[in-house]
């Protein structure tokens, strides 16, 4: 089957079926792509509960407001970078490969956040944690630009609005799951939440 400009066999199938025949292919792909949006919401929310404990672990002081601000804002700074490069990345690599790389960032970032601080010297624990949060942020930013683009391109015309809203719903669901993780785990178990 010929590939479309988006690099997706699913988009080609939907286009060759007259726009509406791709629904059986598009719906599962939309939900799979929306996992990026779920991670977006989750990583925005999950840090709220254990924030003081994370900064106490990384700096030795739970009330270090600068460290708390950095732990939260590095995700957002990474997201700004990811969202700025997401469009060019999608044009260069295609939507599917770009979403795959987004998944890599969303997997490596949390792993770096809770593994790297354990193996570095105590004086650089905060820097290691911030590096992991930044990588996660790049994944979040990529997801915020690539997921809606991918969904709009693979969705049949008659389902485009409904499937497009799945992105927003899964961001909200991710936020809810992040807060539920805060309720389910003690703040000292922040690594499990990440």
């Amino acid at each position: 089957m010929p590939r479309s400009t988006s690099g997706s066999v699913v988009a080609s199938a939907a286009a060759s079926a007259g726009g509406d025949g791709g629904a059986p292919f598009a719906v599962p792909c939309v939900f799979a792509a929306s996992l990026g949006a779920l991670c977006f919401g989750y990583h925005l929310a999950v840090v709220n509960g254990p924030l003081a404990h994370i900064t106490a672990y990384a700096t030795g002081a739970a009330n270090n407001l600068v460290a708390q601000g950095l732990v939260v804002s590095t995700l957002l700074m990474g997201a700004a970078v990811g969202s700025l490069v997401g469009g060019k990345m999608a044009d260069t690599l295609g939507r599917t490969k770009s979403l795959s790389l987004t998944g890599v960032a969303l997997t490596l970032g949390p792993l770096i956040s809770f593994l790297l601080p354990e193996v570095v010297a105590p004086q650089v624990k905060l820097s290691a944690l911030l590096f992991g949060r930044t990588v996660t942020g790049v994944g979040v930013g990529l997801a915020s630009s690539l997921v809606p683009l991918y969904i709009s391109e693979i969705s049949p015309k008659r389902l485009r609005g409904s499937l497009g809203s799945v992105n927003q719903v899964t961001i909200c669901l991710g936020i809810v799951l992040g807060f539920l993780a805060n309720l389910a785990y003690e703040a000292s178990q922040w690594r499990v939440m990440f």
Side-chain angles (χ1 to χ4, degrees):
M1 179 168 284
R3 294 181 84 64
S4 71
T5 57
S6 68
S8 170
V9 173
V10 174
S12 296
S16 66
D20 282 351
F25 298 107
V27 173
C29 290
V30 165
F31 283 100
S34 293
L35 291 175
L38 183 80
C39 289
F40 179 3
Y42 182 82
H43 287 291
L44 285 175
V46 76
V47 75
N48 291 308
L51 186 58
H53 191 23
I54 292 169
T55 54
Y57 160 79
T59 66
N63 60 351
N64 186 334
L65 298 180
V66 172
Q68 287 182 6
L70 287 171
V71 168
V72 173
S73 65
T74 51
L75 180 90
L76 302 174
M77 288 186 277
V81 171
S83 64
L84 289 173
V85 301
K88 183 65 173 171
M89 188 170 145
D91 290 341
T92 305
L93 300 175
R95 291 8 169 200
T96 307
K97 287 180 185 174
S98 297
L99 282 171
S100 296
L101 290 175
T102 299
V104 170
L106 289 171
T107 302
L108 287 179
L111 287 174
I112 293 168
S113 293
F114 74 82
L115 290 177
L116 189 59
E118 290 298 315
V119 297
V120 296
Q123 61 271 27
V124 293
K125 278 186 176 184
L126 180 62
S127 298
L129 177 67
L130 297 178
F131 176 66
R133 291 283 291 167
T134 303
V135 171
T136 304
V138 169
V140 163
L142 289 170
S144 71
S145 63
L146 295 173
V147 171
L149 176 64
Y150 181 76
I151 290 172
S152 69
E153 288 185 352
I154 67 165
S155 298
K157 288 180 185 177
R158 65 184 170 85
L159 297 176
R160 195 162 291 144
S162 299
L163 292 178
S165 66
V166 169
N167 181 57
Q168 294 301 317
V169 170
T170 54
I171 290 172
C172 294
L173 180 61
I175 292 169
V176 169
L177 290 175
F179 287 134
L180 288 175
N182 287 329
L183 290 173
Y185 295 100
E186 296 290 325
S188 61
Q189 296 175 303
W190 63 269
R191 289 176 194 83
V192 176
M193 291 186 253
F194 273 33

